[in-house]
């Protein structure tokens, strides 16, 4: 057993996120047969991901604030602190902080056969999509 080394907080890239979004890794694979990835992700008010999907799906546990999750059919779900959202494999979606509030969630997913393609990124979410118009 060992205590994991501290990893500095990183700001997520503008190519995949709009607004200020920070990531703190919690768990990353150590061995070839391990695939679990867990991170705390913090969003400034209104900050959001671009459209994306995950090869093996994803769990997101909101730990602070109010989150918004959108799907390609235009549905927006608001998720509050203490609630967990599951997105199935391959489903395109986005996540964000609701307007006017910070949001933090714990992201949990399993890497795919090629960790570099575990998440497939697409275009940025428009203001209209974020606002549900």
């Amino acid at each position: 057993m060992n205590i994991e080394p501290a990893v500095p907080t990183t700001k997520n890239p503008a190519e995949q996120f709009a607004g200020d979004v920070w990531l703190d890794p919690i768990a990353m694979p150590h061995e070839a047969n391990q695939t679990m990835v867990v991170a705390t992700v913090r969003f400034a008010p209104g900050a959001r991901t671009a459209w994306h999907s995950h090869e093996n799906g994803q769990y997101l546990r909101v730990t602070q604030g109010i989150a918004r999750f959108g799907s390609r059919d235009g549905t927006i779900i608001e998720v509050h602190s203490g609630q967990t959202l599951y997105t199935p494999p391959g489903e395109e979606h986005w996540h964000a902080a609701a307007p006017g509030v910070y949001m933090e969630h714990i992201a949990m997913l399993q890497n795919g056969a090629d960790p570099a393609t575990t998440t497939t990124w697409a275009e940025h979410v428009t203001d209209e999509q974020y606002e549900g118009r």
Side-chain angles (χ1 to χ4, degrees):
M1 292 188 293
N2 63 288
I3 295 174
E4 293 291 289
V7 178
T9 298
T10 58
K11 189 170 181 187
N12 282 329
E15 297 81 26
Q16 299 160 343
F17 295 84
D20 292 329
V21 181
W22 299 271
L23 180 121
D24 286 297
I26 295 173
M28 303 303 254
H30 284 287
E31 309 296 330
N33 64 340
Q34 294 176 328
T35 59
M36 181 180 69
V37 175
V38 182
T40 300
V41 188
R42 295 175 182 88
F43 292 72
R48 54 192 175 249
T49 69
W51 285 101
H52 64 285
S53 63
H54 304 284
E55 183 177 336
N56 293 313
Q58 181 183 52
Y59 288 92
L60 295 164
R61 173 72 172 208
V62 177
T63 54
Q64 292 182 17
I66 301 170
R68 279 192 171 177
F69 297 92
S71 63
R72 285 287 186 185
D73 68 5
T75 300
I76 295 176
I77 300 171
E78 286 205 344
V79 181
H80 296 259
S81 183
Q83 294 181 309
T84 302
L85 180 92
Y86 172 68
T87 303
E91 182 174 326
E92 286 193 311
H93 66 285
W94 53 265
H95 22 118
V101 296
Y102 282 86
M103 185 272 290
E104 175 184 280
H105 65 53
I106 298 173
M108 298 162 274
L109 57 92
Q110 292 191 15
N111 278 334
D114 176 359
T117 62
T118 296
T119 301
T120 301
W121 292 98
E123 77 276 11
H124 279 278
V125 173
T126 66
D127 290 343
E128 290 77 19
Q129 290 169 325
Y130 172 78
E131 294 164 5
R133 296 187 275 136

